[in-house]
Amino acid sequence: MNILHLDASALGAHSVSRQLTADIVASLRDTHPDANIVYRDLAADPIPHWQPVVDVSREPSSLGEEILDEFLDADIVVMGAPMYNFGITTQLKAWIDRIAVPGKVFRYTENGPEGLAGGKRVIIASSRGGIYSEGPAAAMDFQENYLRGFLGFIGITDIDIVRAEGIAMGPEQKQKALEQARNTIHGLTRRAA
């Protein structure tokens, strides 16, 4: 089993999504002690944003190949995805841009796009300051909806979201959100056994 562990929060030790990804990976390690885990901290070691190659004689980026290979080799991707300004972090978007390679993770056919990255499981650790899963702010969720849409586009349908929301709405709400998220983690990672 190969696990790719991604963190994208700039908050370091104060990050809820980092706490959740660490809990998810620890729980997966309990059920799969021989798993190979590759860790990438997208905030501490940011990936340069994708730019088109103007000079076709240049060699392709080895970093881009490394990132794509890590993703393609993974059986499970554990993705820390905090909500920043209603969407994902630019660091996570830069990673997505590096794996969205035509012919590798998707292709266009006469019947439309076809995802080529199926067979993977993605567990998203979503953290949000407010409540966006329901109510009036639900229309502002460009985080989880975007991730589900992108992953579906590349063929991944086995997607679980561990959500801690309302974490900026006071210490009691934050604690409640963390407890609910950890209960979700326990159920999800046991399913991977």
Side-chain angles (χ1 to χ4, degrees):
M1 162 112 19
N2 291 319
I3 299 170
L4 175 58
H5 176 181
L6 302 170
D7 278 323
S9 172
L11 297 179
H14 302 288
S15 166
V16 168
S17 66
R18 285 177 183 272
Q19 291 173 41
L20 296 178
T21 61
D23 290 348
I24 293 165
V25 170
S27 189
L28 287 169
R29 183 175 279 154
D30 287 346
T31 56
H32 300 284
D34 295 331
N36 177 48
I37 300 170
V38 172
Y39 178 70
R40 189 170 284 277
D41 188 330
L42 301 171
D45 191 15
I47 297 167
H49 287 275
W50 183 86
Q51 295 179 354
V53 176
V54 177
D55 180 0
V56 293
S57 67
R58 273 187 21 208
E59 290 294 316
S61 162
S62 62
L63 176 62
E65 290 174 8
E66 180 182 331
I67 290 165
L68 180 60
D69 288 345
E70 288 171 357
F71 172 71
L72 292 174
D73 291 345
D75 300 300
I76 299 176
V77 177
V78 177
M79 180 186 298
M83 178 185 271
Y84 285 13
N85 301 317
F86 312 113
I88 62 172
T89 67
T90 62
Q91 294 88 347
L92 183 54
K93 178 64 167 77
W95 178 84
I96 287 171
D97 288 344
R98 295 301 178 126
I99 68 160
V101 178
K104 299 285 187 177
V105 299
F106 73 94
R107 67 179 169 200
Y108 290 106
T109 70
E110 59 189 33
N111 298 321
E114 176 186 2
L116 303 174
K120 296 181 185 309
R121 181 176 184 205
V122 176
I123 305 173
I124 299 168
S126 169
S127 58
R128 303 151 160 222
I131 306 290
Y132 296 90
S133 62
E134 60 186 18
M140 299 299 288
D141 177 5
F142 304 109
Q143 171 212 27
E144 290 179 11
N145 291 331
Y146 170 77
L147 291 171
R148 281 188 188 277
F150 171 74
L151 294 168
F153 179 81
I154 64 172
I156 298 173
T157 57
D158 190 358
I159 303 166
D160 292 300
I161 295 182
V162 175
R163 181 184 302 121
E165 65 180 345
I167 58 174
M169 299 172 73
E172 287 179 20
Q173 173 60 31
K174 181 177 181 179
Q175 186 59 36
K176 179 181 169 187
L178 285 170
E179 287 172 13
Q180 289 173 338
R182 289 189 173 116
N183 288 336
T184 302
I185 289 169
H186 179 73
L188 292 178
T189 55
R190 297 300 169 230
R191 181 175 72 101

mmCIF file of all heavy atoms in Angstrom, residues 2 13 26 31 45 47 51-53 79-80 83-84 86 90 93 107 121 130 134 142 154 159 170 173-174 177 181:
data_model
loop_
_atom_site.group_PDB
_atom_site.id
_atom_site.type_symbol
_atom_site.label_atom_id
_atom_site.label_comp_id
_atom_site.label_asym_id
_atom_site.label_seq_id
_atom_site.Cartn_x
_atom_site.Cartn_y
_atom_site.Cartn_z
ATOM 1 N N ASN A 2 0.616 2.148 -0.918
ATOM 2 C CA ASN A 2 1.324 3.428 -0.994
ATOM 3 C C ASN A 2 0.369 4.547 -0.620
ATOM 4 O O ASN A 2 -0.719 4.652 -1.200
ATOM 5 C CB ASN A 2 1.854 3.671 -2.409
ATOM 6 C CG ASN A 2 2.965 2.719 -2.772
ATOM 7 O OD1 ASN A 2 3.832 2.434 -1.958
ATOM 8 N ND2 ASN A 2 2.942 2.213 -3.990
ATOM 9 N N ALA A 13 1.697 24.497 13.137
ATOM 10 C CA ALA A 13 1.173 23.740 14.280
ATOM 11 C C ALA A 13 -0.246 24.153 14.667
ATOM 12 O O ALA A 13 -0.923 23.424 15.383
ATOM 13 C CB ALA A 13 2.109 23.898 15.474
ATOM 14 N N ALA A 26 -1.954 8.302 10.679
ATOM 15 C CA ALA A 26 -1.638 7.434 11.824
ATOM 16 C C ALA A 26 -2.620 6.269 11.900
ATOM 17 O O ALA A 26 -2.223 5.119 12.162
ATOM 18 C CB ALA A 26 -1.659 8.239 13.123
ATOM 19 N N THR A 31 -3.661 0.239 10.550
ATOM 20 C CA THR A 31 -4.288 -0.860 9.817
ATOM 21 C C THR A 31 -3.381 -1.418 8.718
ATOM 22 O O THR A 31 -3.601 -2.535 8.262
ATOM 23 C CB THR A 31 -5.640 -0.426 9.200
ATOM 24 O OG1 THR A 31 -5.443 0.699 8.367
ATOM 25 C CG2 THR A 31 -6.646 -0.101 10.286
ATOM 26 N N ASP A 45 7.245 23.764 1.543
ATOM 27 C CA ASP A 45 8.082 23.564 0.359
ATOM 28 C C ASP A 45 7.201 23.735 -0.877
ATOM 29 O O ASP A 45 6.870 22.767 -1.560
ATOM 30 C CB ASP A 45 8.707 22.168 0.405
ATOM 31 C CG ASP A 45 9.789 21.980 -0.630
ATOM 32 O OD1 ASP A 45 10.270 22.975 -1.197
ATOM 33 O OD2 ASP A 45 10.141 20.812 -0.882
ATOM 34 N N ILE A 47 5.399 24.349 -4.408
ATOM 35 C CA ILE A 47 5.668 24.000 -5.800
ATOM 36 C C ILE A 47 5.469 25.268 -6.626
ATOM 37 O O ILE A 47 4.455 25.955 -6.468
ATOM 38 C CB ILE A 47 4.674 22.916 -6.252
ATOM 39 C CG1 ILE A 47 4.869 21.649 -5.429
ATOM 40 C CG2 ILE A 47 4.804 22.649 -7.744
ATOM 41 C CD1 ILE A 47 3.744 20.657 -5.575
ATOM 42 N N GLN A 51 3.555 27.057 -15.447
ATOM 43 C CA GLN A 51 3.615 28.018 -16.531
ATOM 44 C C GLN A 51 3.852 27.239 -17.817
ATOM 45 O O GLN A 51 4.604 26.257 -17.812
ATOM 46 C CB GLN A 51 4.754 29.016 -16.330
ATOM 47 C CG GLN A 51 4.556 29.887 -15.117
ATOM 48 C CD GLN A 51 5.724 30.848 -14.926
ATOM 49 O OE1 GLN A 51 6.719 30.786 -15.622
ATOM 50 N NE2 GLN A 51 5.578 31.741 -13.975
ATOM 51 N N PRO A 52 3.249 27.665 -18.901
ATOM 52 C CA PRO A 52 3.465 26.930 -20.151
ATOM 53 C C PRO A 52 4.914 27.036 -20.598
ATOM 54 O O PRO A 52 5.589 28.029 -20.343
ATOM 55 C CB PRO A 52 2.530 27.634 -21.139
ATOM 56 C CG PRO A 52 2.279 28.974 -20.553
ATOM 57 C CD PRO A 52 2.395 28.822 -19.057
ATOM 58 N N VAL A 53 5.368 25.979 -21.235
ATOM 59 C CA VAL A 53 6.734 25.968 -21.767
ATOM 60 C C VAL A 53 6.717 26.690 -23.109
ATOM 61 O O VAL A 53 6.082 26.248 -24.058
ATOM 62 C CB VAL A 53 7.244 24.517 -21.937
ATOM 63 C CG1 VAL A 53 8.625 24.510 -22.573
ATOM 64 C CG2 VAL A 53 7.244 23.802 -20.608
ATOM 65 N N MET A 79 -5.258 14.212 1.744
ATOM 66 C CA MET A 79 -5.069 15.594 1.305
ATOM 67 C C MET A 79 -5.581 16.577 2.356
ATOM 68 O O MET A 79 -6.767 16.595 2.654
ATOM 69 C CB MET A 79 -5.836 15.786 -0.014
ATOM 70 C CG MET A 79 -5.760 17.158 -0.618
ATOM 71 S SD MET A 79 -6.838 17.296 -2.082
ATOM 72 C CE MET A 79 -6.143 16.081 -3.176
ATOM 73 N N GLY A 80 -4.696 17.382 2.901
ATOM 74 C CA GLY A 80 -5.104 18.463 3.793
ATOM 75 C C GLY A 80 -5.549 19.643 2.949
ATOM 76 O O GLY A 80 -4.771 20.181 2.157
ATOM 77 N N MET A 83 -9.945 25.605 3.903
ATOM 78 C CA MET A 83 -10.638 26.596 3.078
ATOM 79 C C MET A 83 -10.015 27.960 3.339
ATOM 80 O O MET A 83 -9.955 28.422 4.472
ATOM 81 C CB MET A 83 -12.134 26.656 3.415
ATOM 82 C CG MET A 83 -12.885 27.709 2.607
ATOM 83 S SD MET A 83 -14.620 27.897 3.072
ATOM 84 C CE MET A 83 -15.382 26.685 2.004
ATOM 85 N N TYR A 84 -9.522 28.574 2.282
ATOM 86 C CA TYR A 84 -9.004 29.937 2.342
ATOM 87 C C TYR A 84 -9.858 30.764 1.385
ATOM 88 O O TYR A 84 -9.886 30.475 0.181
ATOM 89 C CB TYR A 84 -7.545 30.004 1.897
ATOM 90 C CG TYR A 84 -6.519 29.484 2.881
ATOM 91 C CD1 TYR A 84 -6.870 28.746 4.001
ATOM 92 C CD2 TYR A 84 -5.169 29.722 2.673
ATOM 93 C CE1 TYR A 84 -5.912 28.275 4.876
ATOM 94 C CE2 TYR A 84 -4.205 29.261 3.551
ATOM 95 C CZ TYR A 84 -4.589 28.530 4.652
ATOM 96 O OH TYR A 84 -3.639 28.059 5.524
ATOM 97 N N PHE A 86 -12.959 30.901 0.707
ATOM 98 C CA PHE A 86 -13.993 30.092 0.057
ATOM 99 C C PHE A 86 -13.456 29.022 -0.886
ATOM 100 O O PHE A 86 -14.223 28.303 -1.510
ATOM 101 C CB PHE A 86 -15.030 30.955 -0.682
ATOM 102 C CG PHE A 86 -15.550 32.083 0.139
ATOM 103 C CD1 PHE A 86 -15.256 33.392 -0.201
ATOM 104 C CD2 PHE A 86 -16.326 31.841 1.271
ATOM 105 C CE1 PHE A 86 -15.727 34.448 0.568
ATOM 106 C CE2 PHE A 86 -16.801 32.891 2.038
ATOM 107 C CZ PHE A 86 -16.502 34.193 1.691
ATOM 108 N N THR A 90 -3.527 28.264 -2.680
ATOM 109 C CA THR A 90 -2.812 28.334 -3.958
ATOM 110 C C THR A 90 -1.763 27.226 -4.036
ATOM 111 O O THR A 90 -1.449 26.744 -5.127
ATOM 112 C CB THR A 90 -2.146 29.702 -4.175
ATOM 113 O OG1 THR A 90 -1.171 29.927 -3.169
ATOM 114 C CG2 THR A 90 -3.163 30.811 -4.175
ATOM 115 N N LYS A 93 -3.535 24.198 -5.229
ATOM 116 C CA LYS A 93 -3.862 24.394 -6.639
ATOM 117 C C LYS A 93 -2.629 24.177 -7.512
ATOM 118 O O LYS A 93 -2.714 23.571 -8.596
ATOM 119 C CB LYS A 93 -4.437 25.802 -6.864
ATOM 120 C CG LYS A 93 -4.767 26.127 -8.315
ATOM 121 C CD LYS A 93 -5.872 25.254 -8.875
ATOM 122 C CE LYS A 93 -6.422 25.748 -10.193
ATOM 123 N NZ LYS A 93 -5.572 25.469 -11.346
ATOM 124 N N ARG A 107 -7.922 12.065 -20.488
ATOM 125 C CA ARG A 107 -7.780 12.253 -21.933
ATOM 126 C C ARG A 107 -9.127 12.665 -22.494
ATOM 127 O O ARG A 107 -10.175 12.413 -21.902
ATOM 128 C CB ARG A 107 -7.274 10.991 -22.615
ATOM 129 C CG ARG A 107 -8.259 9.845 -22.591
ATOM 130 C CD ARG A 107 -7.718 8.632 -23.288
ATOM 131 N NE ARG A 107 -8.581 7.492 -23.015
ATOM 132 C CZ ARG A 107 -8.235 6.254 -23.138
ATOM 133 N NH1 ARG A 107 -7.015 5.959 -23.532
ATOM 134 N NH2 ARG A 107 -9.076 5.287 -22.877
ATOM 135 N N ARG A 121 -8.049 5.919 -3.793
ATOM 136 C CA ARG A 121 -8.931 6.460 -2.767
ATOM 137 C C ARG A 121 -8.330 7.780 -2.307
ATOM 138 O O ARG A 121 -7.117 7.879 -2.084
ATOM 139 C CB ARG A 121 -9.011 5.487 -1.594
ATOM 140 C CG ARG A 121 -9.918 5.971 -0.492
ATOM 141 C CD ARG A 121 -10.035 4.931 0.591
ATOM 142 N NE ARG A 121 -10.984 5.371 1.592
ATOM 143 C CZ ARG A 121 -10.960 4.960 2.841
ATOM 144 N NH1 ARG A 121 -10.080 4.082 3.246
ATOM 145 N NH2 ARG A 121 -11.840 5.418 3.701
ATOM 146 N N GLY A 130 -16.050 28.789 9.054
ATOM 147 C CA GLY A 130 -17.501 28.897 9.185
ATOM 148 C C GLY A 130 -18.185 27.598 8.811
ATOM 149 O O GLY A 130 -17.545 26.566 8.630
ATOM 150 N N GLU A 134 -23.990 23.471 4.836
ATOM 151 C CA GLU A 134 -25.439 23.719 4.771
ATOM 152 C C GLU A 134 -25.697 25.181 5.130
ATOM 153 O O GLU A 134 -24.801 25.897 5.561
ATOM 154 C CB GLU A 134 -26.182 22.802 5.743
ATOM 155 C CG GLU A 134 -25.758 22.987 7.194
ATOM 156 C CD GLU A 134 -26.378 21.983 8.143
ATOM 157 O OE1 GLU A 134 -26.870 20.948 7.682
ATOM 158 O OE2 GLU A 134 -26.363 22.253 9.347
ATOM 159 N N PHE A 142 -16.424 26.742 -2.572
ATOM 160 C CA PHE A 142 -15.648 26.498 -3.782
ATOM 161 C C PHE A 142 -14.425 25.648 -3.452
ATOM 162 O O PHE A 142 -13.496 25.561 -4.247
ATOM 163 C CB PHE A 142 -15.225 27.827 -4.419
ATOM 164 C CG PHE A 142 -16.386 28.718 -4.715
ATOM 165 C CD1 PHE A 142 -16.596 29.875 -3.977
ATOM 166 C CD2 PHE A 142 -17.295 28.378 -5.702
ATOM 167 C CE1 PHE A 142 -17.679 30.688 -4.239
ATOM 168 C CE2 PHE A 142 -18.391 29.192 -5.972
ATOM 169 C CZ PHE A 142 -18.582 30.358 -5.235
ATOM 170 N N ILE A 154 -10.754 13.365 -13.253
ATOM 171 C CA ILE A 154 -9.606 12.499 -13.550
ATOM 172 C C ILE A 154 -9.899 11.033 -13.217
ATOM 173 O O ILE A 154 -8.999 10.199 -13.265
ATOM 174 C CB ILE A 154 -8.310 12.994 -12.870
ATOM 175 C CG1 ILE A 154 -8.397 12.952 -11.349
ATOM 176 C CG2 ILE A 154 -7.951 14.384 -13.385
ATOM 177 C CD1 ILE A 154 -7.067 13.250 -10.644
ATOM 178 N N ILE A 159 -13.982 8.955 -2.860
ATOM 179 C CA ILE A 159 -13.582 10.192 -2.172
ATOM 180 C C ILE A 159 -14.320 10.278 -0.848
ATOM 181 O O ILE A 159 -15.542 10.168 -0.801
ATOM 182 C CB ILE A 159 -13.939 11.431 -3.020
ATOM 183 C CG1 ILE A 159 -13.294 11.352 -4.405
ATOM 184 C CG2 ILE A 159 -13.534 12.720 -2.303
ATOM 185 C CD1 ILE A 159 -13.848 12.352 -5.404
ATOM 186 N N GLY A 170 -15.583 29.928 17.874
ATOM 187 C CA GLY A 170 -15.432 29.772 19.311
ATOM 188 C C GLY A 170 -14.842 28.428 19.689
ATOM 189 O O GLY A 170 -14.912 27.459 18.932
ATOM 190 N N GLN A 173 -17.234 25.235 19.694
ATOM 191 C CA GLN A 173 -17.550 24.759 18.343
ATOM 192 C C GLN A 173 -16.338 24.079 17.725
ATOM 193 O O GLN A 173 -16.466 23.059 17.063
ATOM 194 C CB GLN A 173 -18.046 25.906 17.455
ATOM 195 C CG GLN A 173 -18.227 25.541 15.991
ATOM 196 C CD GLN A 173 -19.222 24.418 15.740
ATOM 197 O OE1 GLN A 173 -20.185 24.246 16.471
ATOM 198 N NE2 GLN A 173 -18.968 23.630 14.705
ATOM 199 N N LYS A 174 -15.144 24.644 17.933
ATOM 200 C CA LYS A 174 -13.931 24.043 17.381
ATOM 201 C C LYS A 174 -13.723 22.651 17.963
ATOM 202 O O LYS A 174 -13.430 21.699 17.231
ATOM 203 C CB LYS A 174 -12.711 24.925 17.666
ATOM 204 C CG LYS A 174 -11.425 24.369 17.094
ATOM 205 C CD LYS A 174 -10.262 25.304 17.343
ATOM 206 C CE LYS A 174 -8.982 24.751 16.752
ATOM 207 N NZ LYS A 174 -7.835 25.657 16.963
ATOM 208 N N ALA A 177 -16.219 20.261 16.482
ATOM 209 C CA ALA A 177 -15.873 19.944 15.095
ATOM 210 C C ALA A 177 -14.728 18.931 15.034
ATOM 211 O O ALA A 177 -14.748 18.001 14.219
ATOM 212 C CB ALA A 177 -15.509 21.216 14.336
ATOM 213 N N ALA A 181 -14.861 15.150 13.513
ATOM 214 C CA ALA A 181 -13.919 14.763 12.470
ATOM 215 C C ALA A 181 -13.143 13.514 12.869
ATOM 216 O O ALA A 181 -12.961 12.594 12.057
ATOM 217 C CB ALA A 181 -12.955 15.915 12.177
#
